[in-house]
Amino acid sequence: MELLDAHLVPAVDGVAYGLLLFVVAAGLSLAFGTAGVLNLSHGMLYAIGAYTGAELSDGTWGGLALGLAAGTAAAALAGAGLSAATMPLARRGHLAQALLTFGIALVGGDLLIQLFGADELPVRVPGALDSSVHLLGHRYPAYRLGFIAMAVALAAFGTWVLTRTRVGAAVRASADDPQMLAATGHSPRAVHIGVLAAAGALAGAAGVLGAPIIGPGPGTSENVLMLSLVVVVLGGLRSLWATFAAAIAVGEVQTLGVSVLPDLAPYLLFAAMAAVLVFRSRFAEPAAHEERGPDTDPVARLRRLLAARWRNRPRAAAPAPVPEAAAPAAPGRLGAWLRTAGWRQAVPLLVLLAVLFALPGVLDAYSISLAGSALALGLLAVSVTVLTGYAGLPTLGQTAPFAVGAYATANLADAGWTVGPVQIVLSALAAAVFSAVTGPAVIRARGTTVLMITLAIGELTSAVINQVKSVTGGADGLVGFPATRALWGGEGMTEERELYVYAAVVAVVAVAITLLVLRSPAGKLLTGTRGAEARMRASGHPVGRYLLVAHICAGALAGVGGSLMVTVQQYLSPADVGFEIAAFALLAVVIGGTTSVVGALLGVGLIVFTRDWVAGSWPGHGPLLLGVLFVAAVYLLPRGLAGLRAAPGRPVPAASSGKVSP
């Protein structure tokens, strides 16, 4: 009884918090499950409602009603705009949608701060609710009890519309059979717009009503988005009741769990999210790894097999080659190489190499420092390229092994291990071990499930970083450790130019090794797992082993990048290895082309240039500029920079033939 008495208030808070998350997550689930849009700007829609409601609140019922109407309408309008923005990407998959909506969230968040300020806005509630009531011997805020009633009513109304009305029937039909919906005279496009507008309205209404609980301010949209994703993953897309139960559970973990298990609560949500996703990928999706479409038809498969054998039938012998002695002007191996496309593929590498080593002579100290950081992030992006472009595992959690390598180097330096090669090898080894542990949870899933699992791993790593202060420094980070020495017997590197040269040498070696591996037979096998996984499994290839090795090697490469970042920056904070950096790395891969190593490096350079150099000329607008870059890259570079080198109307060679784009 004493335990119940002590934790009654947090438990009721958890119900209110969970109902708030349910209303928000219902909109996110509606957008993803019905409209097929992975909307990473859903938290911004909540923020629109919260800011609008706070601005119009004046302590009266009229102000609350006006704020609710205006905030809901504004978020619904923004949701309809998202529908128009994402509709052209319908055939490009969820990755492009996720990057686009993340960019829109950056732009929208910056605009909200410009309109309403960077400080958290106070919310004035009606006087009747701005008090406390007695609840089983405790004083409890009346507004939160009122919010529970309003959230239940809102959830009941939404459930009734979705399950009992013609509008709801059209929405469900658009998800199950859009062709049949169109045959009945309904426009799938109109339903798509309406669904995202309704999802925005739910988020906006939750923002207005939940502003006194999760107030409008910096970080609100990110926090709401992450928690809503957890709710949707735990509850699934099939049942509103399951989503409701998941939301209440998440709310209780965020309130009651913090008071009862303060040491474990930060890990519970994303650990549960990862566990549910892994379970579903192993048991609930038995056909996740089979090729879709015509391959499921045995007759079509037989027809394709016969056609392939016909194409590969023996042909007449080719004329014997002219002996080298009889060649009119034997150019040797170099000439033969120049006559092929090999030299054209090497040109970008050579140009990039020349630019890298020419930079110290033309840039100032600050710009050289930025270039060194870009090289470290470039290795992170290359590791994402290996997983996304070659292994077919799009990832939002590659900052986890990146963080392992970074913190390993910082702690090694603090312990007196300051020799650069030793730091790199040990950091890569630590990141590889981490990837070997987490790899089995990742390699079996595909598509959006991989994104969510890796996101959960990244967030769990961030939680560990914030909790294990003796190793990571917590939110304050690490600083003041000894400088790295390039070689045994040398002095610690403190000048920007020598740090940059060290980073450039390490990056060139790491990228060269990566390209050699990707061009080897092992790299071709990895490419095959992405393009024809079912056939490779049928022919006896251990696809899971290939993917696990790729995951481990990509983790080691990310660990090298983390080690370089610490060496160049000479400090380390949680923001350097957070979700935003993971999104930037994925964007860099999209900018460069998912199978282009050099493209990923160029993409990182463009992002760092925009975030740190251009934004320095326009202080306070870095997120806006990066958001514009996200949106422009998704629309203007559907195949990345590597796609610009391909002939118009033809696929990028790396994606179609298994060759590696440099």
Side-chain angles (χ1 to χ4, degrees):
M1 191 66 184
E2 292 181 359
L3 181 64
L4 175 63
D5 187 66
H7 300 297
L8 176 63
V9 172
V12 179
D13 275 344
V15 174
Y17 201 77
L19 285 170
L20 172 60
L21 292 177
F22 171 68
V23 177
V24 180
L28 184 61
S29 178
L30 187 66
F32 186 44
T34 304
V37 176
L38 181 57
N39 183 15
L40 295 186
S41 62
H42 198 68
M44 181 199 69
L45 301 177
Y46 174 92
I48 289 174
Y51 274 110
T52 304
E55 186 69 19
L56 295 176
S57 66
D58 57 2
T60 66
W61 290 101
L64 177 61
L66 179 61
L68 181 60
T72 303
L77 186 62
L82 281 172
S83 173
T86 57
M87 201 168 291
L89 308 178
R91 296 186 178 182
R92 290 176 52 188
H94 291 134
L95 179 58
Q97 293 175 348
L99 290 173
L100 174 69
T101 54
F102 185 76
I104 292 174
L106 290 175
V107 173
D110 185 83
L111 294 177
L112 287 175
I113 290 176
Q114 299 305 317
L115 287 173
F116 299 102
D119 298 326
E120 186 169 336
L121 292 184
V123 182
R124 290 169 289 179
V125 300
L129 298 177
D130 192 16
S131 60
S132 58
V133 297
H134 287 280
L135 180 65
L136 299 178
H138 293 270
R139 305 287 295 179
Y140 192 77
Y143 182 83
R144 297 205 173 194
L145 287 178
F147 172 80
I148 291 175
M150 289 185 285
V152 168
L154 185 60
F157 176 75
T159 303
W160 176 77
V161 170
L162 190 60
T163 59
R164 301 293 182 180
T165 66
R166 290 186 176 181
V167 173
V171 168
R172 297 195 308 274
S174 69
D176 297 333
D177 195 344
Q179 288 79 15
M180 182 62 70
L181 177 67
T184 61
H186 294 83
S187 169
R189 181 184 182 91
V191 173
H192 188 274
I193 295 174
V195 165
L196 286 181
L202 285 172
V208 175
L209 297 176
I213 300 174
I214 305 179
T220 297
S221 60
E222 292 84 355
N223 185 36
V224 170
L225 173 65
M226 289 298 177
L227 293 176
S228 300
L229 284 173
V230 173
V231 170
V232 171
V233 168
L234 295 180
L237 300 173
R238 298 294 181 183
S239 171
L240 283 176
W241 290 109
T243 303
F244 177 83
I248 297 297
V250 170
E252 293 296 346
V253 169
Q254 289 294 98
T255 55
L256 184 61
V258 170
S259 64
V260 176
L261 300 170
D263 295 331
L264 293 179
Y267 311 108
L268 290 179
L269 291 182
F270 288 100
M273 175 180 172
V276 168
L277 287 168
V278 172
F279 179 84
R280 287 177 182 164
S281 67
R282 287 182 178 272
F283 300 104
E285 299 174 8
H289 313 303
E290 299 300 324
E291 296 180 22
R292 302 288 194 248
D295 285 334
T296 58
D297 181 2
V299 177
R301 292 169 60 184
L302 178 61
R303 188 186 306 119
R304 273 192 305 278
L305 179 61
L306 293 175
R309 290 187 176 181
W310 175 259
R311 286 194 301 269
N312 297 329
R313 70 190 188 281
R315 292 173 172 80
V322 179
E324 291 186 7
R333 292 184 178 180
L334 177 62
W337 179 69
L338 289 175
R339 286 197 303 269
T340 67
W343 69 274
R344 299 188 189 92
Q345 296 181 357
V347 166
L349 284 172
L350 297 176
V351 171
L352 181 60
L353 193 62
V355 170
L356 284 178
F357 287 100
L359 288 180
V362 297
L363 297 179
D364 56 29
Y366 174 70
S367 299
I368 291 175
S369 177
L370 290 183
S373 299
L375 287 173
L377 292 175
L379 293 185
L380 172 64
V382 171
S383 74
V384 175
T385 296
V386 172
L387 290 178
T388 301
Y390 291 94
L393 301 173
T395 174
L396 277 172
Q398 201 61 5
T399 45
F402 184 73
V404 170
Y407 282 102
T409 293
N411 282 277
L412 285 170
D414 197 47
W417 296 60
T418 57
V419 179
V422 174
Q423 290 180 345
I424 289 172
V425 171
L426 293 180
S427 297
L429 181 61
V433 171
F434 176 88
S435 297
V437 172
T438 59
V442 175
I443 61 174
R444 187 170 175 83
R446 297 294 181 272
T448 307
T449 305
V450 181
L451 281 175
M452 294 296 102
I453 291 176
T454 54
L455 172 63
I457 292 173
E459 292 301 310
L460 276 172
T461 305
S462 296
V464 172
I465 290 171
N466 286 316
Q467 294 295 315
V468 189
K469 297 182 180 179
S470 60
V471 177
T472 65
D476 297 328
L478 297 175
V479 69
F481 42 83
T484 298
R485 294 178 292 160
L487 293 171
W488 291 266
E491 297 293 330
M493 297 179 291
T494 56
E495 296 293 328
E496 284 79 4
R497 281 178 171 78
E498 59 182 351
L499 286 170
Y500 171 80
V501 171
Y502 170 79
V505 171
V506 172
V508 167
V509 172
V511 170
I513 293 174
T514 302
L515 286 173
L516 287 175
V517 172
L518 292 177
R519 289 176 180 271
S520 69
K524 291 182 172 61
L525 286 174
L526 183 61
T527 304
T529 63
R530 178 176 183 265
E533 180 178 346
R535 292 189 180 94
M536 292 195 67
R537 288 183 181 275
S539 61
H541 286 280
V543 171
R545 191 182 306 166
Y546 296 161
L547 294 177
L548 181 60
V549 171
H551 192 264
I552 293 172
C553 293
L557 182 60
V560 174
S563 178
L564 275 189
M565 184 186 66
V566 171
T567 299
V568 171
Q569 292 186 167
Q570 298 183 330
Y571 69 89
L572 180 60
S573 71
D576 296 321
V577 293
F579 170 73
E580 191 175 78
I581 300 299
F584 290 168
L586 192 55
L587 173 66
V589 171
V590 172
I591 290 175
T594 55
T595 57
S596 174
V597 172
V598 174
L601 295 173
L602 294 176
V604 165
L606 182 59
I607 291 173
V608 172
F609 175 77
T610 303
R611 183 190 67 176
D612 297 317
W613 199 83
V614 176
S617 313
W618 195 15
H621 294 280
L624 174 64
L625 295 172
L626 283 172
V628 171
L629 180 60
F630 267 76
V631 174
V634 171
Y635 280 133
L636 302 180
L637 297 172
R639 294 184 295 171
L641 294 173
L644 300 179
R645 297 170 54 200
R650 296 179 59 187
V652 183
S656 58
S657 65
K659 296 181 181 179
V660 178
S661 293

